[in-house]
Amino acid sequence: MADRYLHLTGTAPGRFLTRRLGLPQPAPLRRWTLETPHLDGPLLHLTAGASAVTGVAEALRTSGLTVTERADRPAAIVLDATGVATAAGLGDVHAALHPVVRSLAPGGRIVVLGTVPSPDDHHQAAAQQALEGFVRSLGKEIGRGSTVQLVRIPVARIPGGASAHAAGSTLRFLLSPRSAYVSGQVIELTSAAPDSGSGPTPITDPAAPLTGRTALVTGAARGIGAAVASVLARDGARVIALDVPGAREELESTADRLGATALPLDITAPDAADRIAAAAPDGLGVLVHNAGITRDRRLANMPADRWASVIEVNLDSVLRTTDELLKAGTITRGGRIVATASIAGIAGNTGQTNYAASKAGIIGLVRSLGPRAAAEHGVTVNAVAPGFIETKMTAAVPLFIREAGRRMNSLSQGGLPVDVAEAVAWFAQPDSTAVNGQVLRVCGQSLLGA
Ligand code: NAD
């Protein structure tokens, strides 16, 4: 379902009229294409006070942008605020960004680097937590399709200080058109290096970082799952696209288009994990739990079968297949599990007690299993939490609620399936080892659950 309002505000009379009426002004977002893989302009690297980490300049270079300490019209600004440890030090954040924020190009990126608030130093914790409020507010006011995020770099347990080395894949994603619909997010990197013990796995082919890995995507016949399969295939993975046997025709046509293998299978089948393992004899490098259903009713009107089917597809099958595939060693060391939550699992939603429970359950799963899966299997576990994404699922939403869903976020528009897929691909990167137990909202900084 096309966003006609976005089209209208892209015309001069439409812009004039909607401005006069005080209506939202969504800026068209620029997504990744082969021809335009990078933001259009330099990256301004600033530091608030003194940095507490090493390796920031090296990590920034992975973005492919020209890094500079002075620029008239930067496409991105990275503020290293890792050394801000007092309330007074927050003045350095203001002093660094206040003079340059207006010069950021439309569709620009601001990334603030912080560290984890300390449980032992409440002044440092206050200052570092303050960055979260700062980033979320700037994301709401910056406009023109620009985004703002906070990346927390862990404090080193090793002598020699913390390093931003492990932040490479995260900065590459956030400082690119791939993260067009991600804003107001806080990403906390871990210091553990599950797959090698010595830091992130290097990428041999930057254009196809997933070469040699097999990725299985559930619910891949259409919508977000088809976009995930497509982006993972673009990044070089061999893709197995799974969907219910009832969607076989659509699944096969999606798989054919992507050069993927179709696996018609209901993910709730008792032997689903065995069937997946049989389809991937060399193991899986990436497992994406995307299949999901809604069966909306208010709790008072919800029969047990509607409750049970949603919990079964969206949560129980994810828990079961994850456990079985990890136990069997089907997910190889250095592997990536990505599950699909929803902002409904964070904010709650009328008529969706079953759905929101299942999606909040995914968040619980990811946070609990992430550190253990890393320690025991060398596998990371993360989730995307999409907001309003333009798919068949949201096209079925009544018009008024659909319009509200589209506009109630900092970018004043819905996201596209590819926006979620790019976030999944970031989790799946071989050098995303330090990204674990995270839930990334892909919601344009939705007001729901903010
Ligand atoms: P969709 O309905 O277009 O696609 C879901 C796919 O999952 C379908 O192809 C369906 O056949 C498949 N599926 C359902 N049950 C299955 C099962 N038992 N076994 C295997 N496959 C099964 O939905 P979508 O909008 O693309 O959503 C994808 C995921 O993103 C879901 O988990 C959904 O909850 C989540 N999500 C979507 C939005 C959004 O705005 N569209 C927002 C938040 C979260």
Side-chain angles (χ1 to χ4, degrees), residues 219 221-225 242-244 247 265-268 290-293 313 340-342 355 359 386-389 391-394:
R222 65 179 201 195
I224 294 171
L242 178 154
D243 211 300
V244 285
L265 173 65
D266 187 325
I267 197 64
T268 65
N290 162 81
I293 58 168
V313 175
T340 309
S342 163
Y355 182 76
K359 296 299 188 180
F388 184 98
I389 305 295
T391 62
K392 276 190 183 159
M393 196 186 247
T394 46

Side-chain angles (χ1 to χ4, degrees), residues 129-182:
Q129 191 66 35
L131 296 176
E132 185 170 328
F134 172 79
V135 156
R136 292 199 203 278
S137 297
L138 188 56
K140 290 186 178 182
E141 69 184 35
I142 195 160
R144 301 195 303 168
S146 294
T147 65
V148 189
Q149 341 278 347
L150 173 62
V151 177
R152 289 187 175 138
I153 296 170
V155 195
R157 295 191 203 109
I158 43 160
S163 163
H165 180 51
S169 80
T170 301
L171 292 170
R172 210 163 61 235
F173 169 62
L174 295 177
L175 297 170
S176 82
R178 296 170 197 248
S179 58
Y181 199 60
V182 177

Side-chain angles (χ1 to χ4, degrees), residues 264-352:
L265 173 65
D266 187 325
I267 197 64
T268 65
D271 62 347
D274 292 341
R275 302 265 309 272
I276 289 171
D282 299 330
L284 286 177
V286 183
L287 170 63
V288 184
H289 295 290
N290 162 81
I293 58 168
T294 51
R295 296 285 182 273
D296 297 357
R297 284 277 168 85
R298 284 169 189 260
L299 182 63
N301 303 325
M302 188 181 296
D305 62 328
R306 282 179 96 88
W307 174 272
S309 59
V310 168
I311 299 290
E312 173 70 4
V313 175
N314 297 4
L315 181 60
D316 207 13
S317 74
V318 175
L319 285 159
R320 214 170 37 238
T321 50
T322 297
D323 285 353
E324 290 178 23
L325 292 169
L326 273 176
K327 193 164 164 223
T330 305
I331 303 171
T332 49
R333 279 196 91 71
R336 309 280 182 243
I337 299 173
V338 184
T340 309
S342 163
I343 57 167
I346 297 166
N349 204 11
T350 304
Q352 291 199 317

